[in-house]
Amino acid sequence: MDSAFEKQMQIIGMLRHVAMACGAGQRPLGSRWTSGLPFRFLGTSSPQSPADASFHSASFSGADRPQVLITGPFLYADVLDYKRLREIVVNNRVTWLFHYSALLSAAGEANVPLARAVNVTGLHNVLDVAAEYHLRLFVPSTIGAFGPTSPRNPAPDLCTQRPRTIYGVSKVYTELMGEYYYYRYGLDFRCLRYPGIISADSQPGGGTTDYAVQIFHDAIRSGKFECNLKASARLPMMYIQDCLRATLEVMDAPAESLSMRTYNINAMSFSPEELAREVLKHLPEFQISYSVDPVLQAIADSWPMTLDDSSARKDWGWKHDFDLPELVTAMLNFHGSDTRVAQAN
């Protein structure tokens, strides 16, 4: 593996631990600096990445390599502390900032004041610091930014957005504020509306689409899974490798190639029953049952069934690698190998 590609894989490894819950932590966020790279990260642990991870367009070279700051659900630096955030940016000569601090849909509804503080006030600090120091800023958005009056199949980049959760409302605000700072202050703000993100090495983190992660844990552990959404609840989803690659690619895209500040990205859409059928191909004894949570189901019913990401594909060459069969294979291989190791130990 050549050194440039290896460094890219290290970046993916660091981003993975932040993006795997897309900000699902229950407290404001912090940092630990990882050395040994030409980047500085707010991260969690030593970088690890799968050998088959690949890039379609992202590349970094020489003096253009960014100094990267990632906010995520950790311990030492509070995104609500503007002075501390500014100090980190200055002392570490940060040039790119990935802002993942947020409470997700279900967790946000359980604690609206905290969600408002982290998702909105934290955003204000990040926007101001990024504008002051001319950073390239990435803040993820979500399918939760759409609402019951949005087109559902598919939802385009530009349409009516009237979400019914504090998470969704805060993400619409994020999109609009980022665009405002771009036009008002010249901030290089970039944003992707993530579908449900499925990661093999993360635990469910308070999101409506988390059933699509929990099902693999339960399938391996007990062979049974109780789903809290209807069998037919179809939602857009994406495997973590595609998510992280899309994020790096849009950040690395030339500014002149971007026709908008916020893009939809899409990979696949499926329902719980469709996911279960794919799992059954690998685990014939697997059983799924349903105990629908009316709050989560109402959220799911207000979200799109699929996203129109044609602008991302046209402007900066986005394309996904993982469809449903590849996703299920990757998830079961990961959890199956973990289970065998645990049993052996």
Side-chain angles (χ1 to χ4, degrees), residues 98-120:
F98 293 79
H99 179 53
Y100 279 100
S101 300
L103 264 68
L104 301 187
S105 53
E109 292 307 290
N111 194 337
V112 172
L114 180 59
R116 189 172 59 232
V118 174
N119 297 11
V120 176

Side-chain angles (χ1 to χ4, degrees), residues 36-333:
L37 292 171
F39 307 89
R40 297 273 183 188
F41 292 94
L42 279 171
T44 56
S45 64
S46 300
Q48 296 178 347
S49 58
D52 61 349
S54 63
F55 277 75
H56 291 304
S57 66
S59 61
F60 313 100
S61 60
D64 293 332
R65 289 176 179 152
Q67 293 284 94
V68 178
L69 174 67
I70 305 171
T71 66
F74 309 117
L75 184 60
Y76 306 112
D78 189 339
V79 293
L80 302 181
D81 184 343
Y82 179 83
K83 182 178 178 182
R84 174 62 176 146
L85 187 62
R86 188 171 180 267
E87 181 180 276
I88 290 170
V89 167
V90 172
N91 290 348
N92 294 277
R93 299 179 181 179
V94 169
T95 57
W96 284 13
L97 201 165
F98 293 79
H99 179 53
Y100 279 100
S101 300
L103 264 68
L104 301 187
S105 53
E109 292 307 290
N111 194 337
V112 172
L114 180 59
R116 189 172 59 232
V118 174
N119 297 11
V120 176
T121 306
L123 172 71
H124 292 168
N125 290 341
V126 166
L127 286 169
D128 287 343
V129 167
E132 182 178 358
Y133 292 99
H134 309 289
L135 308 183
R136 182 171 296 182
L137 173 63
F138 177 84
V139 187
S141 189
T142 167
I143 53 173
F146 297 102
T149 58
S150 305
R152 296 196 69 212
N153 193 23
D157 287 301
L158 301 175
C159 65
T160 300
Q161 293 175 255
R162 293 292 184 273
R164 298 284 177 84
T165 66
I166 186 62
Y167 177 57
V169 169
S170 69
K171 286 303 183 180
V172 174
Y173 181 72
T174 295
E175 295 174 14
L176 294 173
M177 285 297 287
E179 188 169 320
Y180 173 77
Y181 268 63
Y182 169 72
Y183 286 110
R184 179 68 175 83
Y185 302 112
L187 174 64
D188 190 355
F189 171 85
R190 305 182 183 203
C191 179
L192 297 177
R193 290 193 191 108
Y194 289 158
I197 304 302
I198 302 175
S199 172
D201 56 358
S202 69
Q203 295 293 324
T208 303
T209 58
D210 278 352
Y211 84 87
V213 175
Q214 188 64 52
I215 189 173
F216 294 101
H217 292 275
D218 291 1
I220 292 294
R221 182 170 56 247
S222 67
K224 299 179 180 179
F225 174 65
E226 183 177 88
C227 184
N228 52 22
L229 294 181
K230 293 179 181 177
S232 59
R234 206 159 198 266
L235 292 168
M237 302 284 187
M238 181 176 289
Y239 189 53
I240 186 68
Q241 286 187 33
D242 279 340
C243 170
L244 298 181
R245 182 171 50 77
T247 302
L248 292 175
E249 287 180 2
V250 76
M251 282 293 277
D252 198 43
E256 60 272 15
S257 71
L258 304 180
S259 64
M260 57 188 69
R261 295 291 107 190
T262 297
Y263 288 89
N264 289 342
I265 53 169
N266 198 42
M268 69 195 85
S269 292
F270 56 76
S271 65
E273 62 184 354
E274 290 171 324
L275 177 57
R277 280 200 297 269
E278 194 65 36
V279 172
L280 275 165
K281 294 177 183 179
H282 299 260
L283 301 172
E285 304 301 317
F286 174 68
Q287 299 176 20
I288 186 169
S289 59
Y290 297 90
S291 178
V292 177
D293 182 319
V295 174
L296 292 179
Q297 186 60 51
I299 294 173
D301 288 342
S302 73
W303 287 356
M305 291 185 284
T306 187
L307 299 173
D308 177 0
D309 63 354
S310 55
S311 294
R313 293 175 186 266
K314 173 178 173 288
D315 287 0
W316 43 276
W318 159 244
K319 57 180 178 179
H320 69 281
D321 287 333
F322 286 78
D323 288 307
L324 180 57
E326 293 82 11
L327 180 148
V328 170
T329 298
M331 292 291 287
L332 290 176
N333 283 348

